Amino acid sequence: MSRPTARVLTLLELLQSGGTRTVAELADRLGVEGRTVRRYVDQLIDLDVPVESVRGRYGGYRLAPGYRLPPLMLSDDEALAVLLGLVAGRRAGLTTAQHTANETASAKIRRVLPRHIARRLDTLLESLAFTEQPGEFDTPDTGVLLTVADAVRHRRPVSIRYTDRDGRRTERTLHAYGIVAHAGRWYVTGKDARIGEDRTFRLDRIADARTLPGSFEAPVGPGPAQRVLSAFATAEYRHEVALRIHGTVEHIRAHLPAGIAHLEEHEPGAGQDQATERWLRVELRAERLDWLPPVLAALDRPFVIERPDELRDLVTALADRLGSCARRA
């Protein structure tokens, strides 16, 4: 590669780092005169790289949005960070409906990595272990995701076609508060304008999204993430469970997180430490109860089952089995 061409690519890398760069700054970094910088800029423009001139005392050059992505210059550390992000996103299930986009993006970056960086990356991936299996979740459509995000940003109503877990299809108008990634899935939370109540929707179940005229005010109170967790904890399931547990908030939350259970916290009394164990009310809903007795046993704290009686029977049965096993010679 000739030196002028190398300098043009270096100029592109400098502009991609963000902000406006003065001619004097660019000339100093490239080791050339100001008029040579202007010539290099003209070469980038000829290649359809959207470089724009900024006038004024602190003017210079900067990259503007273009109709297509220009050649992207990444340092070794930046390329490694992007690749690791793609690997983590794929395993967490946080990808879009374009399943191949993650793979092709990774392949393009790996293809142009310097050999020593590629070898280091391979060594890292070969030695890296994950405690969970890769996510196998349905993923949202890219267009739907971006349309909903735009509606959140500008506080605009959005019309969605939604299919619920029972297969029922409905048209809804949503005042979307925010998008939340949780446990490998994408969710949007907001007010369903037809019923006037807050709802949480899985983005992969939205078949179409269209921004509507008008605007709305964002509500005060919990943020989108907390709203999604609260929606999970209070969702309609077969069993309603009410418990009283003697322990600290932190200890209970470690076994029954906010996405599973609603914890009724009481302000500690005067001189009482927040971490002090006390009786707290815990409510949750579940389709099945068989997973709860081992969780309550793992808490290792006194508890009282208020309802349902079926859970009390399951806990008693587990205690009997454990006692029987402990007595075996």
Side-chain angles (χ1 to χ4, degrees):
M1 179 183 293
S2 64
R3 291 188 60 81
T5 304
R7 290 195 188 105
V8 171
L9 292 175
T10 302
L11 172 61
L12 176 59
E13 184 175 5
L14 290 171
L15 294 175
Q16 285 179 338
S17 64
T20 300
R21 301 291 185 128
T22 65
V23 174
E25 178 187 2
L26 294 171
D28 181 65
R29 295 291 298 272
L30 297 173
V32 298
E33 296 180 354
R35 61 184 179 183
T36 305
V37 171
R38 296 183 183 91
R39 189 169 70 249
Y40 290 164
V41 168
D42 289 338
Q43 292 180 35
L44 289 176
I45 294 174
D46 289 341
L47 294 171
D48 288 333
V49 177
V51 182
E52 64 181 16
S53 158
V54 180
R55 298 183 180 278
R57 182 180 177 183
Y58 301 103
Y61 295 104
R62 66 186 178 195
L63 279 185
Y67 69 92
R68 64 180 177 84
L69 187 69
L72 191 61
M73 307 292 292
L74 295 175
S75 68
D76 293 347
D77 287 343
E78 289 169 341
L80 186 61
V82 170
L83 282 170
L84 291 177
L86 290 170
V87 170
R90 183 171 64 248
R91 290 195 61 93
L94 298 180
T95 57
T96 64
Q98 300 295 326
H99 293 287
T100 59
N102 190 296
E103 302 294 338
T104 55
S106 298
K108 287 178 180 179
I109 296 176
R110 290 180 68 101
R111 209 161 35 236
V112 297
L113 277 180
R115 290 183 179 177
H116 70 285
I117 294 296
R119 285 196 297 268
R120 293 176 66 188
L121 175 66
D122 289 338
T123 299
L124 172 61
L125 295 179
E126 288 171 4
S127 60
L128 182 63
F130 293 88
T131 57
E132 297 180 356
Q133 295 298 315
E136 295 292 339
F137 302 109
D138 295 328
T139 51
D141 177 79
T142 305
V144 167
L145 182 62
L146 296 178
T147 298
V148 173
D150 185 72
V152 170
R153 171 74 180 275
H154 297 99
R155 297 289 182 239
R156 303 256 318 264
V158 61
S159 172
I160 62 173
R161 284 195 292 116
Y162 190 73
T163 303
D164 65 17
R165 63 183 177 185
D166 297 321
R168 294 188 297 265
R169 298 180 181 179
T170 55
E171 290 254 0
R172 302 168 185 257
T173 297
L174 181 66
H175 294 173
Y177 306 149
I179 295 173
V180 178
H182 173 70
R185 295 194 188 279
W186 297 89
Y187 297 89
V188 58
T189 183
K191 178 184 288 186
D192 187 326
R194 181 175 59 85
I195 61 176
E197 296 180 2
D198 287 357
R199 289 289 184 268
T200 295
F201 301 98
R202 271 175 44 181
L203 276 165
D204 60 279
R205 289 178 174 168
I206 298 177
D208 181 58
R210 293 180 295 104
T211 306
L212 301 175
S215 62
F216 64 90
E217 290 294 325
V220 296
Q226 186 57 48
R227 289 175 184 274
V228 168
L229 293 177
S230 297
F232 290 151
T234 57
E236 292 295 334
Y237 289 105
R238 181 180 175 187
H239 300 283
E240 294 187 3
V241 178
L243 309 162
R244 294 198 309 277
I245 301 175
H246 192 266
T248 65
V249 172
E250 292 77 10
H251 183 77
I252 296 172
R253 277 286 179 235
H255 296 269
L256 294 167
I260 294 176
H262 172 71
L263 182 61
E264 194 171 301
E265 302 180 34
H266 301 283
E267 288 296 324
Q272 187 179 15
D273 187 1
Q274 184 75 26
T276 302
E277 292 193 4
R278 56 192 186 279
W279 287 99
L280 297 172
R281 184 179 177 83
V282 179
E283 295 182 349
L284 60 98
R285 305 185 184 209
E287 280 296 309
R288 298 170 53 183
L289 296 174
D290 53 357
W291 60 275
L292 256 177
V295 172
L296 294 176
L299 275 168
D300 194 26
R301 292 293 187 276
F303 64 88
V304 174
I305 299 173
E306 294 184 355
R307 64 175 188 272
D309 291 338
E310 183 181 349
L311 177 59
R312 190 175 290 106
D313 295 339
L314 289 172
V315 171
T316 301
L318 175 62
D320 290 342
R321 288 197 303 274
L322 292 175
S324 176
C325 292
R327 288 190 293 269
R328 289 178 184 170

